[in-house]
Amino acid sequence: MEIISPLVSAIDAVTHPNPYPFYAELVAHQPLYFDETLRLWVASSAEAVTQIMNHPACRVRPMGEPVPRGLVGSMAGVIFEHLARMNDGPKHTSLKHDVTARIAQLDVITVGQKWASDLGRGVGHLNLNLNEFAFALPVYIMADLLGVPSQQIPETVGWVREFARCLNPLSTPEQVAIGKTAAEKLMGMLQPAYGEIWAANLIGLMFQAYEATAGLIGNTLAALGNDPDLYNQVMCSPGLLPQLIQEMVRFDPAVQNTRRYLSEDVTVAGQAMQAGDAILVVLAAANRDPELNPEPNQFQLFRRDRRTFTFGQGVHSCPGEMLAYNMAQAGIEQMLWLGVGQNIHVKAIGYQPYVNLRIPILLWENNGRDF
Ligand code: HEM
């Protein structure tokens, strides 16, 4: 019998083999409560999440700390400070408008298929593993789409990944130092042409496309590996792939939670909270709130009126949702074509270390050989 370690918090849930019974308990009995150990409010029901994500006093950064302390004074801090994602108010409105307009111009399908096929060949020749493929693909696609010259793309992808790592609170001091150097290289490449603020947001598009899309690809491949009936259904009707990915986004999302910080004393979702309080908004739990989606624990390819919080809510909602779907589809199609799910068996053997993202560590096995 599989032994699953007990869950103690909504942060442990992110990388737990099955956090969903725990989330269901929260939604049913503690939709918004204060976790004394985490020192965070935890919101999980669709109602609480909706109210928090749409409340003007719930900000994306703590009031006195626009940039995490460890990044202040570095180029990584400069990028962080200018990101649409990390600002509220008029600066956010204007950046969000520009970022959304830029994304709308990107032809992701052609470029996505090209990179899925190029990098997929690496997987076929076994010099790139499946985890690497899921991580690399979205950044190759985004760097190409945003006009990075082709000879600079591999180096740029490496810098984006190092920079993203330095934003993960679980990274080591050495990884943070490497990420800060990568931030300098990225800004050195883009700032002369685009200026500081826009260069920061172009870098933002590359790194925001990176981990969450890798998680979407990985979780979908793991689900196919776990469920031969689902795999057969999709292989018999490849047109079902978009539905598969959309239900995956709801059912086992790459982004499990986000945070909000109160700018003033307010009552939100019936709970009085104080300026300075922080809220962990558990998007993945709200996706399975029965008030939002009936029979939420069933994986339904043909779910009617599917609703999800995975791409956020309100003014900060993700402008890259369609890009993410298309990039993930390009990658998954390529892997299915290479035999993943058929002669190559895939399973998740754990999750990468994050406090908010659920990205599987995939093991794949071909004729009894692991690699
Ligand atoms: C599976 C893939 C993705 C997921 C699950 C995802 C999820 C999210 C979520 C939850 C937010 C809101 C965070 C919050 O309000 O606290 C967000 C914001 C954002 N995402 Fe994504 N994202 C994905 C892919 C992408 C891609 C491909 C891009 C760009 C090409 C992108 C660009 C952004 C940007 C710029 C924001 C900030 C928007 C704002 O603050 O107004 N994301 N994303």
Side-chain angles (χ1 to χ4, degrees), residues 318-335:
C318 179
E321 182 171 348
M322 282 318 294
L323 283 192
Y325 281 128
N326 286 317
M327 290 194 287
Q329 182 165 338
I332 293 160
E333 265 168 0
Q334 186 66 27
M335 291 300 100

Side-chain angles (χ1 to χ4, degrees), residues 85 92 96 142 208 212 255 258 260 310-311 316 318-319 323-324:
R85 165 78 182 80
H92 170 255
K96 179 68 171 271
M142 288 307 299
Q208 284 171 120
V255 176
T258 186
R260 288 296 186 266
T310 300
F311 290 95
H316 279 281
C318 179
L323 283 192

Side-chain angles (χ1 to χ4, degrees), residues 53 60 83-87 92 95-96 99-100 103 106 138 142 146 201 204-217 249 253-260 281 283 309-325 327-328 357:
M53 297 291 273
V60 291
L83 293 174
R85 165 78 182 80
M86 299 301 169
N87 280 276
H92 170 255
L95 286 172
K96 179 68 171 271
V99 160
T100 307
I103 286 179
L106 304 178
M142 288 307 299
L146 294 176
N201 278 282
L205 287 184
M206 290 190 278
F207 95 78
Q208 284 171 120
Y210 161 54
E211 290 152 314
T213 312
L216 177 53
I217 294 173
V249 157
V255 176
Q256 295 268 302
N257 65 58
T258 186
R259 294 186 191 212
R260 288 296 186 266
V281 185
L283 306 169
F309 288 96
T310 300
F311 290 95
Q313 262 268 312
V315 290
H316 279 281
S317 66
C318 179
E321 182 171 348
M322 282 318 294
L323 283 192
Y325 281 128
M327 290 194 287
L357 300 175

